[in-house]
Amino acid sequence: MSEKKPVYICRCQEITEDDIKKAIEDGARTVKGVKNRTGATMGLCQGRTCRKLIERMLARYVDMNEIKPGTRPPVRTVKIDDMVKGEEVENE
Amino acid sequence: MNKTSEIVIIGGGVIGTSIAYNLSKKGKKVILVEKGDLAFGASGSCDQEIILQSKSPGVHLQMAMRSAEIYKTLEDELNHPIEYKNTGGMIIIETEEEMKTMEGIVEKQKKFGFNVEILDRNEAAKLQGGLAEHLQGSTYSPQDAHINSMELTIGYANAAKKLGAEVILNTEVTGIKQENRKITGVQTSDGDIDSEIVINCAGAWAPAIAQMAGINIPIQPRRGQIIITEEVPPYVMGDILSARYIAAKYNPDILKNSNDPGIKLGVGLALSQMEKGNIMIGATREFVGYDTSVTREGIKEILKYATRLVPGIRDLNIIRVFAGLRPYTPDGLPVIGFMENVEGFFMAAGHEGDGIALAPVTGEIVSDLIIDGKTFIDDSVFDIKRFN
């Protein structure tokens, strides 16, 4: 029999369903807890796909009303130069 | 849940888990209680630098150097990937005044046996690309390193568990039990734990825990905002700080009197690159209570200052920002030791931004003091009475 293919939950960081399961077994009860243990949601898309999937996995263990997303803005990438330039214009 | 333990540790950050590991290694029965999850406070919202150069010559630097020794073999010892890398580090010097200050510090650190030197602008540019033309130079030490602080906390917790420690998450300590000024245990949101020794490792939240035992400690939360860029190829040489970061750390009063919004926010540069390629750019040092929000002004001021010193990062994209609360003490040193008025109540908090660098040595010192009553370092400097 062929080996079971890994199911990727967080594509950016290549974190699999098994990795997330292990994190939950280790005591993670929030997206942030899963993130600290696996690195999921920390890639370029900042959890836009995997956050929902992780929340669904957590839902079996936690009352979903209590889950705090722990999102760390910006939700979309920003160029450093644009942040700094904005300030220079304001000062003119 | 009602339990009994030789020692109860409050706080699942890098300090609490390091202490749990060190005490378990010496055969003590330990229960660690954490109100949230591992590395949910400052340990999971900090930069990754183990920078020795920022420590003042004396016990502070001695502690950092001992930690650096422990770090070299810690990954094998914990059997956990903590991403330790001995990269070396530099402190960027922008003005002549900063150069004078840094020359003084470097000279004292050298006398202490620490390997550090001053570089001019050209020598510094050979180590790190993208530096501004107007810089005076930098310091350099091959002894600086960095680490993944979340993996470190989890690694310590798991190693402690393997040695028999119990780690209880999502459980808040609600009271400290005592009889005749003697600790008898803690009350938690999930029952009592009886114990004759309680160690307060709650970081910025340590004052509230100490208050439950009737003790005032002068720790204050100090907010640090940090920015993460997209993943890029290797660019940052190791740990980079700015001389103003050192000033912000030790002279908060000087900063208060400035009109520069960046200086008012305590902005100093802390630049490093994570294993996956993201660059971390920090940080502010602000007294805003327990507010962990990120501000537009804070992020902007960090980036303005960072791009003034290292224009080479201007074209990168930022993907994430966050803030953490460092446990500040007036002299920058932690409070470590048994409290005089309540027998069995032990403090180990107040490392401010040095928690990651000092976690391994703090674990050793605390386990020494609790088991043997003495340690290899002059621990009188950690005495709470110094603030009276």
Side-chain angles (χ1 to χ4, degrees):
Chain A
M1 230 174 77
S2 65
E3 210 175 295
K4 198 184 143 202
K5 272 192 184 168
V7 177
Y8 286 98
I9 299 289
C10 169
R11 287 178 294 178
C12 303
Q13 303 283 80
E14 296 178 356
I15 309 299
T16 66
E17 188 184 8
D18 280 349
D19 295 331
I20 310 283
K21 275 184 188 161
K22 264 182 222 151
I24 296 172
E25 274 164 28
D26 191 46
R29 290 293 179 271
T30 56
V31 174
K32 189 177 164 191
V34 170
K35 165 177 143 179
N36 281 4
R37 286 176 178 79
T38 64
T41 79
M42 291 172 85
L44 195 56
C45 91
Q46 290 293 290
R48 249 171 279 169
T49 305
C50 64
R51 183 186 317 281
K52 283 173 283 180
L53 298 172
I54 294 168
E55 280 172 350
R56 274 164 61 182
M57 290 175 74
L58 282 166
R60 284 175 229 157
Y61 302 87
V62 203
D63 174 5
M64 284 309 287
N65 293 327
E66 286 182 13
I67 287 188
K68 290 179 190 147
T71 309
R72 288 176 159 185
V75 177
R76 294 186 191 283
T77 61
V78 186
K79 199 169 160 188
I80 289 178
D81 205 28
D82 292 340
M83 293 284 294
V84 180
K85 257 193 207 150
E87 177 71 11
E88 282 161 6
V89 172
E90 277 168 33
N91 286 345
E92 271 167 15
Chain B
M1 157 198 93
N2 281 325
K3 291 172 182 282
T4 303
S5 182
E6 269 184 280
I7 299 166
V8 170
I9 295 171
I10 303 170
V14 75
I15 300 295
T17 53
S18 167
I19 292 171
Y21 169 71
N22 277 278
L23 284 168
S24 302
K25 202 166 79 174
K26 291 184 180 168
K28 288 284 170 188
K29 162 85 178 122
V30 170
I31 295 180
L32 185 149
V33 188
E34 159 59 46
K35 73 174 169 182
D37 197 345
L38 297 172
F40 257 33
S43 307
S45 52
C46 54
D47 65 44
Q48 54 176 5
E49 305 191 0
I50 306 173
I51 190 144
L52 284 73
Q53 295 190 55
S54 62
K55 313 296 179 273
S56 49
V59 171
H60 202 197
L61 184 58
Q62 191 190 349
M63 282 175 89
M65 286 167 77
R66 173 63 194 144
S67 256
E69 276 305 303
I70 301 170
Y71 267 127
K72 283 179 189 161
T73 54
L74 192 61
E75 186 151 311
D76 287 342
E77 192 180 331
L78 299 180
N79 193 20
H80 189 89
I82 56 176
E83 296 173 20
Y84 170 82
K85 224 175 188 176
N86 180 196
T87 53
M90 55 204 282
I91 298 179
I92 295 179
I93 302 166
E94 192 182 18
T95 65
E96 280 175 31
E97 201 184 337
E98 285 175 4
M99 180 58 97
K100 266 182 217 150
T101 310
M102 290 315 298
E103 278 171 349
I105 292 175
V106 163
E107 198 180 317
K108 278 187 204 154
Q109 287 178 329
K110 272 183 174 169
K111 275 185 195 149
F112 204 81
F114 179 59
N115 188 353
V116 60
E117 59 184 315
I118 299 256
L119 307 180
D120 64 27
R121 162 79 180 64
N122 288 340
E123 290 168 326
K126 277 180 205 152
L127 283 178
Q128 176 60 48
L131 295 181
E133 289 297 332
H134 73 278
L135 299 181
Q136 299 286 319
S138 80
T139 66
Y140 172 72
S141 169
Q143 285 176 268
D144 295 323
H146 60 230
I147 196 147
N148 180 324
S149 61
M150 288 167 283
E151 293 292 0
L152 177 66
T153 309
I154 290 163
Y156 266 133
N158 286 344
K161 280 194 264 183
K162 272 188 203 130
L163 293 168
E166 197 175 338
V167 176
I168 304 175
L169 303 176
N170 299 307
T171 304
E172 192 169 354
V173 169
T174 53
I176 305 287
K177 298 198 297 180
Q178 44 179 312
E179 269 167 33
N180 305 323
R181 309 304 285 168
K182 209 172 161 184
I183 292 291
T184 59
V186 296
Q187 291 159 334
T188 78
S189 51
D190 191 22
D192 290 5
I193 307 171
D194 291 334
S195 178
E196 287 179 5
I197 296 176
V198 169
I199 310 179
N200 180 0
C201 306
W205 293 267
I209 298 290
Q211 206 66 59
M212 291 175 191
I215 296 168
N216 286 318
I217 46 167
I219 290 176
Q220 278 184 69
R222 200 177 193 188
R223 183 170 71 187
Q225 302 188 38
I226 296 177
I227 299 147
I228 309 286
T229 74
E230 61 193 320
E231 291 172 25
V232 291
Y235 182 73
V236 183
M237 53 76 68
D239 298 330
I240 296 184
L241 293 186
S242 69
R244 203 169 88 184
Y245 177 99
I246 310 286
K249 185 171 179 177
Y250 294 110
N251 302 309
D253 289 339
I254 294 173
L255 305 182
K256 240 185 272 167
N257 300 328
S258 169
N259 286 322
D260 182 317
I263 293 180
K264 270 191 190 158
L265 292 168
V267 170
L269 181 66
L271 196 70
S272 67
Q273 192 163 10
M274 293 152 75
E275 191 128 308
K276 283 188 181 273
N278 310 79
I279 295 177
M280 304 184 98
I281 311 168
T284 57
R285 287 178 183 273
E286 313 158 77
F287 293 107
V288 288
Y290 287 90
D291 180 0
T292 54
S293 40
V294 171
T295 64
R296 188 175 163 75
E297 194 195 13
I299 297 305
K300 223 179 202 180
E301 290 302 328
I302 293 169
L303 291 176
K304 262 167 66 185
Y305 182 60
T307 51
R308 189 171 92 207
L309 299 185
V310 192
I313 60 170
R314 277 187 93 114
D315 286 333
L316 301 183
N317 286 300
I318 63 174
I319 64 169
R320 181 164 73 247
V321 293
F322 58 89
L325 300 173
R326 327 282 170 235
Y328 163 90
T329 65
D331 63 359
L333 286 174
V335 179
I336 299 175
F338 279 111
M339 297 293 102
E340 229 172 33
N341 300 331
V342 184
E343 198 183 327
F345 192 75
F346 194 101
M347 278 294 309
H351 297 71
E352 199 179 350
D354 298 328
I356 308 304
L358 302 183
V361 70
T362 300
E364 272 192 358
I365 291 172
V366 171
S367 61
D368 280 355
L369 289 174
I370 286 181
I371 292 166
D372 308 322
K374 61 178 173 23
T375 187
F376 58 92
I377 223 163
D378 171 20
D379 62 309
S380 66
V381 297
F382 309 127
D383 195 329
I384 187 139
K385 288 199 288 288
R386 71 188 191 268
F387 297 118
N388 292 345

